[in-house]
Amino acid sequence: MARKKSLDEGPDLRVLILERASELFHERGYSATSIRDLADAVGISSSTMYHHFTNKQEVLHAIVSRFMTDFVDATVPVLRDESLSPGERVRRVVRLHLELSDDRRPELLVGNPIRYALDPAQQAEGIKLQTAYHDAFHDVLAEGVAAGEFRIEDVTVTTMALLDMLNGVREWFAPAGRLTRDVIVAQYTALVERLIGR
């Protein structure tokens, strides 16, 4: 019988819990996964699980918060980098968006858990991070229009359309499928450039 992991494994155990939980939530769905399932997947007791997280909702919040914070930390500085042209910033962020979404697919949980499973304060935190990315993307498009680099009739609508398009890839892309990730990145970059009139 495998030895249960103990409390003294500290932050490493917390990270392992989040990794296994994101996989189970992704595979089974949030509602169909219990605290006992999470504890068993990590090899700990339920009491150890509760030492790290008060309940399943707190686990979900930690997964969503960690991913979105990392995503914003990676993308927003690129979108705000005035040493690069607006076009180059958009190109780099299209790649980052698609690669991060693929690399951390289990953390992109089905059904948008920010809206249906988190409490209002947790939802507000997630929405704040989403807004930071949306606003930075909007602003770089507006900057490109002002500089004459982009031809966009409505920057707000175009921002929403582009983000919907990029987010949609995670719903259908399969690494073992006909197209490689690099091909998808190249094709989506070309699509985005056509949509912004670059």
Side-chain angles (χ1 to χ4, degrees):
M1 181 174 167
R3 186 179 71 84
K4 294 279 188 183
K5 293 177 176 63
S6 63
L7 292 176
D8 59 8
E9 295 188 47
D12 290 340
L13 182 54
R14 182 180 171 89
V15 169
L16 183 59
I17 291 169
L18 294 180
E19 289 172 355
R20 294 291 186 270
S22 64
E23 291 165 3
L24 287 176
F25 291 163
H26 181 74
E27 292 165 6
R28 300 182 185 179
Y30 173 75
S31 299
T33 305
S34 68
I35 283 286
R36 164 58 64 192
D37 294 331
L38 300 179
D40 288 347
V42 180
I44 59 177
S45 67
S46 293
S47 60
T48 301
M49 184 76 186
Y50 284 116
H51 175 78
H52 291 276
F53 296 97
T54 305
N55 53 38
K56 188 172 70 165
Q57 183 185 55
E58 192 175 298
V59 177
L60 176 66
H61 175 247
I63 292 168
V64 172
S65 179
R66 182 178 71 162
F67 173 78
M68 293 186 65
T69 299
D70 291 349
F71 186 90
V72 166
D73 287 349
T75 57
V76 169
V78 175
L79 290 167
R80 300 286 188 199
D81 185 353
E82 295 183 0
S83 71
L84 301 172
S85 70
E88 182 58 26
R89 283 181 258 169
V90 169
R91 287 179 60 84
R92 291 187 186 192
V93 165
V94 167
R95 175 172 289 279
L96 274 172
H97 188 129
L98 295 175
E99 289 181 343
L100 284 166
S101 297
D102 184 45
D103 288 342
R104 297 176 65 176
R105 182 181 301 259
E107 295 167 82
L108 296 169
L109 303 166
V110 175
N112 199 347
I114 289 173
R115 293 202 178 105
Y116 82 85
L118 301 179
D119 68 33
Q122 293 168 337
Q123 290 177 28
E125 181 184 321
I127 290 167
K128 182 177 179 181
L129 289 165
Q130 286 179 325
T131 301
Y133 179 57
H134 172 278
D135 289 354
F137 209 110
H138 178 279
D139 291 350
V140 77
L141 295 185
E143 186 180 335
V145 170
E149 187 176 349
F150 305 154
R151 294 186 302 280
I152 299 172
E153 184 175 339
D154 188 318
V155 171
T156 299
V157 170
T158 302
T159 300
M160 297 301 294
L162 293 178
L163 295 183
D164 284 347
M165 185 176 84
L166 294 173
N167 287 330
V169 174
R170 67 185 184 221
E171 301 294 333
W172 60 264
F173 175 65
R178 179 174 64 88
L179 302 173
T180 67
R181 186 169 81 175
D182 283 343
V183 169
I184 295 298
V185 168
Q187 290 187 358
Y188 267 67
T189 300
L191 285 169
V192 168
E193 290 189 319
R194 284 201 291 274
L195 286 169
I196 63 179
R198 187 168 184 241

